Amino acid sequence: MKEALVSKGTQVQIVDSSIPAINDDQVLIKVIVSGSNPKDWKLPDLLGGSTNQGDDIAGIVEKVGANVFEFKPGDRVAAFHEMRTPHGSYAEYAVAWQHTTFHIPKSISFEAIPLAAMTAAVGLYLRLGLPQPWSPPASASEPIRGPTPLLIYGAASAVGIYTVQLAQRSNIHPLICVAGRACDYVEGFIDRSKGDVVVDYRQGDEALVAGIVEALDGQPALAHVLDAVSEASSITNIAEVLRRVGAKDDLSGAVKGRATFVLGGEKEGLPDGVEKSITMVGSVHNEAKDFGYVYYRYFAKGLLEGWFKPQKTEVVPGGLGGIQTALQNLKDGKASAVKYVFRIGETDGVER
């Protein structure tokens, strides 16, 4: 089979490899569409080596392990490949664990693979501790939640737009969404009647901070922040907002806020009492396996019912041959509210 290996400097080499073997808890998938992510160029630059970095899989089940009970050959599926392990999605065949594989409704194309949504779910529910979307207070003895402001920095990114959708499903408002060129895109997902707003970061840092503070006027103190950028000025701007508006966790009553970031590194400058965490989607292959199992099936239900929308995608021509162009575009910051995907059948030398 054909396989693409990514190395430092967004260099991509297409090689011939053997079709992978699987263990009892894995699924072998004939890849129809693979999706890219920023980490696909960042990790080779950071760690070196030459590896198949693809983790977003959409395709047809080819073979299942002895313990796999939900899938059979011929099923249409999407899956999250375990990061930094062999047999990723930049190939004709890829391997995934059964608990991070889910059925794609017939109405959904292979290009629409919402795997970045798991990062959003981990951030909202495991790191920030916000209410699950299926358990809003509804009984007479449990009053309806009051306003729960949530700041989403980078709302037009893949993680950001899924965060907006899941927060809506959990009835979390107001949503204070930070975006740039794709402000209009984010606008289509929010509910202005519940106080949601989009603030444009292109106005400059001070104007952005002032706009967020203004949007929070009259609301409970900001207690929950999800930073889907976690680079450049996002951390300093978040810190300044928290200093100006204060932070109180309205769900527990504790005088503190919670901020979670999609990238590691130092998070200097946040006010005392703000609980910091890193949202690592790879946790669903480790300590959060059950969480991943449940939410991937919930995403499939949302796709079928129509309340969960995949991020916009752009098919990069050439199949595996288009990966290098896509990763360079990601590195250069050219992608805005779009996910680059590859149709493996378009690769030179692949017979479909």
Side-chain angles (χ1 to χ4, degrees), residues 307-327:
W307 54 262
F308 193 60
K309 306 293 185 184
Q311 185 193 23
K312 290 189 297 184
T313 59
E314 179 180 324
V315 177
V316 181
L320 297 176
I323 293 174
Q324 184 164 322
T325 297
L327 296 189

Side-chain angles (χ1 to χ4, degrees), residues 207-228:
L208 171 62
V209 170
I212 295 171
V213 172
E214 180 181 1
L216 290 165
D217 185 40
Q219 298 292 340
L222 179 64
H224 303 95
V225 178
L226 191 150
D227 185 355

Side-chain angles (χ1 to χ4, degrees), residues 122-136:
V122 170
L124 283 173
Y125 306 119
L126 290 184
R127 302 294 172 255
L128 296 182
L130 288 163
Q132 307 281 355
W134 49 76
S135 58

Side-chain angles (χ1 to χ4, degrees), residues 103-325:
H103 292 280
I104 300 177
K106 293 179 181 178
S107 58
I108 300 297
S109 74
F110 286 113
E111 288 76 14
I113 40 180
L115 291 161
M118 186 57 71
T119 308
V122 170
L124 283 173
Y125 306 119
L126 290 184
R127 302 294 172 255
L128 296 182
L130 288 163
Q132 307 281 355
W134 49 76
S135 58
S139 69
S141 61
E142 188 178 8
I144 295 175
R145 268 194 323 274
T148 306
L150 171 65
L151 174 59
I152 305 171
Y153 208 111
S157 67
V159 173
I161 207 64
Y162 291 128
T163 300
V164 172
Q165 293 186 69
L166 288 172
Q168 293 277 5
R169 192 70 177 174
S170 289
N171 196 28
I172 297 167
H173 300 281
L175 303 179
I176 316 302
C177 301
V178 176
R181 286 173 290 167
C183 281
D184 290 344
Y185 173 62
V186 177
E187 191 75 37
F189 288 88
I190 67 171
D191 188 343
R192 287 270 178 177
S193 71
K194 295 182 179 179
D196 299 349
V197 298
V198 181
V199 186
D200 192 336
Y201 67 77
R202 295 173 296 176
Q203 304 169 55
D205 291 344
E206 176 53 37
L208 171 62
V209 170
I212 295 171
V213 172
E214 180 181 1
L216 290 165
D217 185 40
Q219 298 292 340
L222 179 64
H224 303 95
V225 178
L226 191 150
D227 185 355
V229 179
S230 305
E231 293 181 317
S233 59
S234 70
I235 299 166
T236 56
N237 288 338
I238 288 167
E240 181 59 26
V241 168
L242 290 171
R243 276 193 291 271
R244 294 189 190 184
V245 303
K248 181 181 176 66
D249 188 332
D250 297 302
L251 297 180
S252 69
V255 183
K256 64 179 181 179
R258 294 190 178 107
T260 192
F261 303 87
V262 297
L263 296 176
E266 295 298 322
K267 304 294 182 287
E268 300 294 340
L270 294 176
D272 291 341
V274 175
E275 181 182 289
K276 297 173 285 187
S277 66
I278 306 300
T279 291
M280 301 292 288
V281 69
S283 64
V284 301
H285 282 125
N286 294 290
E287 73 276 9
K289 287 183 179 180
D290 287 353
F291 182 91
Y293 177 88
V294 170
Y295 265 96
Y296 276 129
R297 283 138 189 83
Y298 190 61
F299 297 160
K301 180 177 185 289
L303 290 171
L304 179 64
E305 295 175 352
W307 54 262
F308 193 60
K309 306 293 185 184
Q311 185 193 23
K312 290 189 297 184
T313 59
E314 179 180 324
V315 177
V316 181
L320 297 176
I323 293 174
Q324 184 164 322
T325 297

Side-chain angles (χ1 to χ4, degrees), residues 25-49:
D25 297 303
Q26 292 178 327
V27 180
L28 179 67
I29 300 169
K30 186 175 184 179
V31 184
I32 305 299
V33 173
S34 173
S36 62
N37 293 288
K39 71 92 194 157
D40 297 352
W41 69 262
K42 291 180 179 179
L43 285 183
D45 276 7
L46 180 65
L47 303 175

